[in-house]
Amino acid sequence: MADGEASGAYREFKALVEAADRKFARARDLPLYAGGDHHSRKAFKAYTRLWRLQQERRRELVAGGLRRWEIGEVASRIGQLYYARYLRTAEPRSLVGAYVFYEAIYSRGYFAAAAGGGASSGDSRHQGLLIRYKELRFIARFLVVAMLMRRAEAVDHLATRLRALVEETKSAYPTQFACQERTTHGPVMVKFTELTLDTFRMLQCLEWEPTGSYQIAAKELTENGTVSDQSGPSGLIDIHLSAEISDGSLPSNPQKAIIYHPTVSHLLAVLATICEELSQDSILLIYISASGFAEQNIASQKYVSSSSSHANKSNPHFSSDNHLWLGPHGSGGPNNIYPEDLIPFTRYPLFLVIDSENSHAFKAEKGEPAAILLSPRISSAMPGAESTAHGSQFTYFLTAPMQAFCQLAGITSDIDTDTYANAENILVSALEEYEGILCTSVGLNNVWGQILPDPFLRRLILRFIFCRAVLFYFHLDEHEQDLPTCLPYLPESVSPNAEAIKTPILLLAESLTYDKMLQQQPG
């Protein structure tokens, strides 16, 4: 093969990479909650062309200087595009697409071989460090996708690999790490995602459970009936793989927008954009997990919330008890959200979930009636229970009630498989019974009636009933601040005092505590 032909192919590849990267940047920088499909499609088209080139002219490209990490970079960008599409559309097949590409990149070690720190020259060491950063960012992204795919073994493996790689990089490049640590006033490496544990749990709760058709591994394709060689810069990953995966038995997942520590104006802008795209039969769920108070108690009377017209200093609207603090930028003012701020969104069927030590600030209804779930003002804990630093207890009950019950009861050791399965059956039966009682209750408020048909929101309501009753029996002194509340009030037939609500909880506690006592028996 002529050198000119090989170098020409590589120059064409690099030119396509630059063009694709520009399209990728436009697609990446768009907010995930406001369209952007046009830029995403253009980026996918550019990378599809690039991918075909490196498949069809691989020998020329390798002869011209193509390196494995460059193939890994292209594949990683395709994985990022799939992941962004998943965040924008909530399509499981897009998440699968990201996982397929990331798993192939990892298993083939596209970045690993090139990121070693052994090179002696300054230029080689600098390039090695840049590639190592690419590898660290890639593994962090792969870890998040594996979590969303519920791949527990992959998550454990990737977390271990990431920790080892960080330590290895610090040893191989001590000067660069020391410089960056002085610059950032703390440890460097990797920004995972703007996804808190509570938000992650809620995100998972609002998606259909993946079925067997989604639980796939990367396809190792073949050429001419033989297994492809993985030692070279192979490009044999099917770019259209995820498009072939679907499950017609499942409805679409609801679309979601996740924002981290927004200002109030940003939050309201996102909500307004989302509402523009809502269909007439849609329900708007707003889940806010936030502190009740700013880090510094600075008077915020000179500020007004973005939807309030009251600005006089005597207005109780500015009481520190009447808002949530979104943080983290500064304190007070633009980061305080009040119930009045959400009035425009009560024009739609609205379901509001507030998890905060100051959740009672939203007990005063504003605007049209909305369905509201409010967390307790304090978290409950029993001896041996996990720290609340592992996520909010209220959100835990709404998203994983079985695990939350075990945490509350202090059952942190391994539970016998049969015992746990029996307990889960008790819980499932209890929630089904609660559903029947609630849906046939006389006097059920119409606000709940219009929300109950939605399977995700109905599940949140039923788990709220379970959570409230469990906390009630863990706090028989019945302090109101220890219990979650809801607006409008649910019927008495599903109150903690109701026999049909109480009985399954006592049965569940008996089942689990009996197993715990057996574990504590000597011998």
Side-chain angles (χ1 to χ4, degrees):
M1 182 183 300
D3 290 342
E5 184 180 354
S7 60
Y10 186 56
R11 284 196 299 271
E12 182 183 353
F13 176 84
K14 295 295 288 185
L16 288 176
V17 166
E18 291 179 7
D21 285 350
R22 288 193 294 270
K23 293 179 174 64
F24 174 85
R26 295 190 192 101
R28 178 195 57 198
D29 294 340
L30 287 171
L32 294 171
Y33 49 84
D37 288 342
H38 172 68
H39 291 286
S40 178
R41 285 194 298 270
K42 291 183 70 173
F44 262 111
K45 184 177 180 180
Y47 280 103
T48 300
R49 182 182 177 191
L50 185 60
W51 200 252
R52 286 204 191 100
L53 175 68
Q54 64 86 24
Q55 285 182 313
E56 296 168 357
R57 306 180 68 181
R58 189 173 308 119
R59 290 185 180 179
E60 298 170 61
L61 290 170
V62 171
L66 180 68
R67 289 152 292 184
R68 285 182 62 80
W69 69 263
E70 292 179 281
I71 296 296
E73 180 81 346
V74 173
S76 180
R77 290 288 173 87
I78 295 171
Q80 286 175 260
L81 287 170
Y82 272 125
Y83 179 62
R85 178 182 286 178
Y86 161 74
L87 292 179
R88 194 183 304 280
T89 66
E91 291 179 350
R93 65 182 184 180
S94 296
L95 186 63
V96 172
Y99 188 91
V100 165
F101 271 83
Y102 286 161
E103 186 178 57
I105 295 166
Y106 186 79
S107 64
R108 300 171 189 189
Y110 281 128
F111 292 114
S120 57
S121 70
D123 289 344
S124 297
R125 283 183 59 81
H126 178 68
Q127 185 183 58
L129 180 60
L130 293 178
I131 297 171
R132 175 56 56 82
Y133 285 160
K134 292 177 186 294
E135 183 179 15
L136 288 168
R137 287 193 293 267
F138 155 70
I139 293 178
R141 294 187 186 106
F142 188 12
L143 181 57
V144 173
V145 170
M147 289 174 62
L148 291 168
M149 286 283 290
R150 299 173 173 88
R151 295 295 185 92
E153 290 185 5
V155 169
D156 289 342
H157 175 80
L158 290 168
T160 301
R161 175 58 181 156
L162 185 60
R163 284 191 292 266
L165 200 59
V166 169
E167 292 305 317
E168 180 185 324
T169 308
K170 290 171 68 175
S171 298
Y173 303 94
T175 304
Q176 288 87 347
F177 263 70
C179 177
Q180 291 195 36
E181 287 180 357
R182 285 195 300 271
T183 302
T184 59
H185 307 289
V188 178
M189 274 322 292
V190 177
K191 175 185 175 183
F192 273 62
T193 180
E194 294 179 340
L195 201 63
T196 65
L197 182 56
D198 289 332
T199 305
F200 173 78
R201 286 171 174 165
M202 186 59 70
L203 175 67
Q204 294 272 275
C205 177
L206 296 173
E207 297 200 350
W208 297 105
E209 290 288 334
T211 62
S213 62
Y214 293 126
Q215 300 301 315
I216 63 169
K219 286 185 178 178
E220 297 296 344
L221 305 182
T222 62
E223 285 183 313
N224 302 322
T226 60
V227 178
S228 58
D229 177 17
Q230 300 303 323
S231 61
S234 170
L236 296 178
I237 310 173
D238 186 357
I239 197 169
H240 297 298
L241 175 63
S242 71
E244 303 167 3
I245 302 168
S246 61
D247 188 341
S249 65
L250 291 180
S252 300
N253 285 323
Q255 291 187 262
K256 296 170 285 291
I258 303 167
I259 48 179
Y260 180 75
H261 283 317
T263 60
V264 172
S265 58
H266 182 204
L267 173 62
L268 298 180
V270 171
L271 290 173
T273 302
I274 290 172
C275 287
E276 286 293 322
E277 300 175 356
L278 283 181
S279 60
Q280 291 185 346
D281 58 347
S282 295
I283 300 171
L284 178 64
L285 168 65
I286 302 177
Y287 166 75
I288 300 178
S289 177
S291 174
F293 310 100
E295 291 178 347
Q296 301 176 13
N297 186 20
I298 299 177
S300 59
Q301 294 175 346
K302 64 180 180 179
Y303 298 98
V304 294
S305 63
S306 55
S307 64
S308 172
S309 60
H310 304 288
N312 62 78
K313 292 187 177 181
S314 62
N315 191 343
H317 176 85
F318 297 111
S319 165
S320 63
D321 231 19
N322 287 357
H323 63 266
L324 304 183
W325 179 69
L326 299 182
H329 309 293
S331 61
N335 296 313
N336 291 344
I337 184 166
Y338 300 86
E340 293 91 328
D341 291 323
L342 300 181
I343 288 177
F345 308 106
T346 62
R347 296 188 180 99
Y348 307 87
L350 176 63
F351 191 8
L352 184 62
V353 180
I354 303 291
D355 194 346
S356 170
E357 69 269 26
N358 203 28
S359 60
H360 75 288
F362 281 73
K363 288 185 75 172
E365 291 192 66
K366 308 290 181 180
E368 295 296 319
I372 306 175
L373 303 183
L374 303 174
S375 70
R377 298 194 64 180
I378 60 173
S379 294
S380 308
M382 296 295 288
E386 294 182 18
S387 166
T388 54
H390 291 85
S392 160
Q393 184 183 77
F394 181 61
T395 295
Y396 207 11
F397 265 101
L398 295 182
T399 57
M402 188 71 237
Q403 293 93 318
F405 186 91
C406 291
Q407 182 198 61
L408 178 63
I411 304 172
T412 56
S413 58
D414 291 336
I415 303 174
D416 177 77
T417 303
D418 292 337
T419 301
Y420 192 83
N422 179 58
E424 281 194 314
N425 289 334
I426 294 173
L427 177 58
V428 169
S429 298
L431 295 178
E432 289 176 351
E433 186 175 357
Y434 295 174
E435 180 179 5
I437 295 171
L438 181 62
C439 292
T440 57
S441 294
V442 176
L444 179 68
N445 193 289
N446 288 335
V447 170
W448 297 112
Q450 67 180 348
I451 286 175
L452 281 174
D454 183 275
F456 292 113
L457 303 186
R458 181 170 66 248
R459 184 165 61 180
L460 290 178
I461 297 168
L462 297 174
R463 290 174 175 178
F464 170 84
I465 293 170
F466 174 73
C467 172
R468 182 176 61 175
V470 169
L471 296 182
F472 175 81
Y473 286 106
F474 271 98
H475 294 276
L476 293 177
D477 51 0
E478 210 173 344
H479 290 308
E480 184 178 352
Q481 65 179 3
D482 297 336
L483 299 178
T485 57
C486 63
L487 294 171
Y489 293 117
L490 290 168
E492 281 296 314
S493 56
V494 292
S495 70
N497 288 312
E499 192 68 24
I501 303 300
K502 175 176 68 174
T503 300
I505 292 173
L506 299 180
L507 184 60
L508 181 62
E510 181 181 352
S511 170
L512 290 171
T513 54
Y514 177 71
D515 181 73
K516 183 179 180 182
M517 287 188 294
L518 287 179
Q519 292 178 13
Q520 295 172 347
Q521 295 276 336

